[in-house]
Amino acid sequence: MKVTYNWLKDYVDFSLSPQELADGLTSVGLEVESLTALSKGLEDVIVGEVRSTQPHPSADRLTRCTVFDGTQELAIVCGAPNVRAGLKVALAPVGACLPGENHIKETKIRGALSLGMLCSERELELSETHAGIMELAASAVPGRKLVDELALRDFVLEIGVTPNRADCLGVVGVAREVAALVGSRLKLPD
């Protein structure tokens, strides 16, 4: 059973850290097999806005983009078919480290300078989608951290539920255990 830390906080008021919660649940018989930060590897990624695009002069399938990072415009070469002006995107600037220890460096791609990378969901390990770059909501603010824009400052607890604990195969059941653990009340939605 997988449940997120913030989701449990919607049902129970508690002040335990994610690790303290995992340890507490394990101590009452719900073995937490893993605790994973959703933002792992995404700390350096920000929201960017594609201001303009033009075909790459030396490659048919590449596009030269001007991308606003919240403070300045960056020249970035992109191979995604869905890149277009006005699009809000996940931008990994020079110096960013993506999941899988992929470090972004200033580079020249077919003679054109690229000062970052526009990322797909698969490159960020958010899904298997790799048809193009990740498209963010039009309301996304350039320069804002992607983990804040997508509410990824959270942790996933993977709980090994035993056959005798079918009551914990849902969020409410796990939240009930958290409430008992911390001596708080369970808050069910209307």
Side-chain angles (χ1 to χ4, degrees):
M1 169 67 190
K2 291 184 180 181
V3 63
T4 71
Y5 177 81
N6 288 340
W7 201 359
L8 289 171
K9 286 188 88 56
D10 288 344
Y11 288 87
V12 182
D13 290 323
F14 63 91
S15 59
L16 299 173
S17 72
Q19 186 61 57
E20 290 170 333
L21 178 63
D23 293 342
L25 286 172
T26 298
S27 73
V28 297
L30 289 179
E31 183 183 353
V32 177
E33 296 174 346
S34 67
L35 177 65
T36 308
L38 286 177
S39 61
K40 185 179 179 188
L42 302 177
E43 295 86 1
D44 300 328
V45 181
I46 60 174
V47 175
E49 179 181 4
V50 179
R51 292 272 172 96
S52 66
T53 63
Q54 61 185 26
H56 191 291
S58 303
D60 292 340
R61 295 186 180 174
L62 295 177
T63 304
R64 292 174 59 186
C65 306
T66 302
V67 180
F68 181 60
D69 71 356
T71 57
Q72 62 183 337
E73 291 186 343
L74 305 171
I76 296 179
V77 176
C78 180
N82 63 328
V83 68
R84 61 190 180 281
L87 187 65
K88 303 286 178 71
V89 296
L91 167 63
V94 170
C97 182
L98 298 179
E101 299 299 314
N102 183 10
H103 295 277
I104 305 302
K105 299 176 183 156
E106 180 178 317
T107 187
K108 284 197 173 188
I109 300 174
R110 296 257 179 124
L113 182 65
S114 188
L115 299 172
M117 176 178 165
L118 305 183
C119 305
S120 71
E121 291 179 22
R122 186 169 78 182
E123 290 161 337
L124 298 175
E125 295 183 359
L126 295 174
S127 79
E128 290 301 314
T129 303
H130 193 63
I133 56 175
M134 183 177 192
E135 296 187 24
L136 301 175
S139 61
V141 179
R144 185 174 187 205
K145 295 274 189 182
L146 184 69
V147 295
D148 294 326
E149 184 66 34
L150 299 179
L152 295 176
R153 290 197 189 275
D154 202 353
F155 293 83
V156 174
L157 295 98
E158 185 169 0
I159 301 170
V161 180
T162 56
N164 65 323
R165 293 306 310 266
D167 60 310
C168 292
L169 289 173
V171 177
V172 172
V174 176
R176 187 173 286 117
E177 288 296 317
V178 173
L181 176 68
V182 300
S184 185
R185 294 183 55 94
L186 181 66
K187 301 180 297 185
L188 295 174
D190 292 336

